[in-house]
Amino acid sequence: MTPPVRLWCAALTAALLPAAVLAQDPRLDGRLDPKARATVTVLIDSARSAGLPVDPLIHKALEGASKHADALRIASAVRTLARELATSRAALGAQSSDAEIEAGAEALHAGARPAMLTQLRVARRHESLSVPLAVLTDLIARGVPADTAAGAVTTLARGGAGDDDFVGMRRNVDRDVGAGMPAAVAASVRARAMPATFPPSSVGDATASFDNKISSIGAPRDARKPHRP
């Protein structure tokens, strides 16, 4: 290696070293074995350089350590999450907040598709998507197919729903499912039942008058007939 090349390599190493040191998050001290920590540190540093939130990656690594997962499994989980975070930001837009990007990654992990996140962004362009995305994730986890869940959440967003309305819809779906209604039916019906325009705190009034009608769906046929003495 010629002297100029050696000097260039030395300068490059010196320039990169402080960034690598800064990437060593103290929360990982003593929690990961050297192999896992080295891989996770590279992934975290790459995510930080790309402008992605890194706290979810650190928490994922610590979660793996608490479960005594091996280095390969921890690295795989952190790598998957980093990819989901990148996909979430691409789907939601570069101006999305860290909270939105993380919520979008959770929705993707649950089974949502990037196009669903983009449609939700278009429907609610000027407001935070953290709560709608969390509701989307919860609905999918509840057993609602991803297409149906995304359709329900996007319908509310297009109607101008506030965060309380999304939470209320999820709560009502939980109640309907607990009463025996299929999750997909509950999500679809609840979304359609919400008003086209949502004044503040409308969720209680919007759903209360509908509860008696919706509670009869899925009930035994005899239970729907009026009682005759």
Side-chain angles (χ1 to χ4, degrees):
M1 184 181 291
T2 63
V5 173
R6 285 198 298 269
L7 290 173
W8 182 86
C9 290
L12 179 62
T13 301
L16 293 178
L17 184 58
V21 171
L22 289 174
Q24 302 287 330
D25 193 284
R27 286 172 287 182
L28 300 177
D29 288 342
R31 298 295 305 277
L32 303 177
D33 65 49
K35 183 177 180 180
R37 176 159 182 168
T39 303
V40 168
T41 297
V42 171
L43 292 169
I44 291 173
D45 192 50
S46 297
R48 182 181 289 112
S49 298
L52 296 171
V54 299
D55 275 357
L57 302 177
I58 295 170
H59 295 156
K60 178 63 69 175
L62 293 176
E63 178 186 354
S66 68
K67 295 178 178 178
H68 306 290
D70 58 34
L72 184 62
R73 182 167 296 182
I74 291 174
S76 177
V78 173
R79 185 179 294 107
T80 296
L81 178 54
R83 184 167 55 249
E84 290 166 344
L85 289 168
T87 303
S88 173
R89 188 181 64 175
L92 294 173
Q95 301 305 314
S96 300
S97 67
D98 285 356
E100 289 176 316
I101 293 171
E102 185 174 356
E106 292 175 357
L108 292 170
H109 192 77
R113 297 191 301 277
M116 297 174 180
L117 274 59
T118 302
Q119 290 170 357
L120 189 55
R121 167 60 75 198
V122 172
R124 206 176 200 235
R125 189 178 300 277
H126 302 298
E127 297 182 67
S128 172
L129 293 181
S130 297
V131 171
L133 287 167
V135 171
L136 172 60
T137 301
D138 288 347
L139 289 176
I140 295 174
R142 197 70 165 93
V144 180
D147 287 334
T148 303
V153 173
T154 303
T155 294
L156 265 65
R158 287 172 178 160
D163 285 350
D164 288 345
D165 296 301
F166 288 97
V167 173
M169 190 265 284
R170 182 195 61 188
R171 183 170 58 246
N172 289 328
V173 169
D174 285 344
R175 183 170 58 188
D176 296 337
V177 171
M181 183 182 296
V185 174
S188 296
V189 173
R190 283 292 179 179
R192 291 197 302 269
M194 302 298 274
T197 303
F198 295 80
S201 303
S202 65
V203 65
D205 294 338
T207 59
S209 63
F210 191 69
D211 284 341
N212 289 335
K213 295 180 181 179
I214 197 171
S215 63
S216 67
I217 299 177
R221 183 173 300 275
D222 290 344
R224 304 178 199 173
K225 297 179 180 178
H227 175 71
R228 296 180 179 177

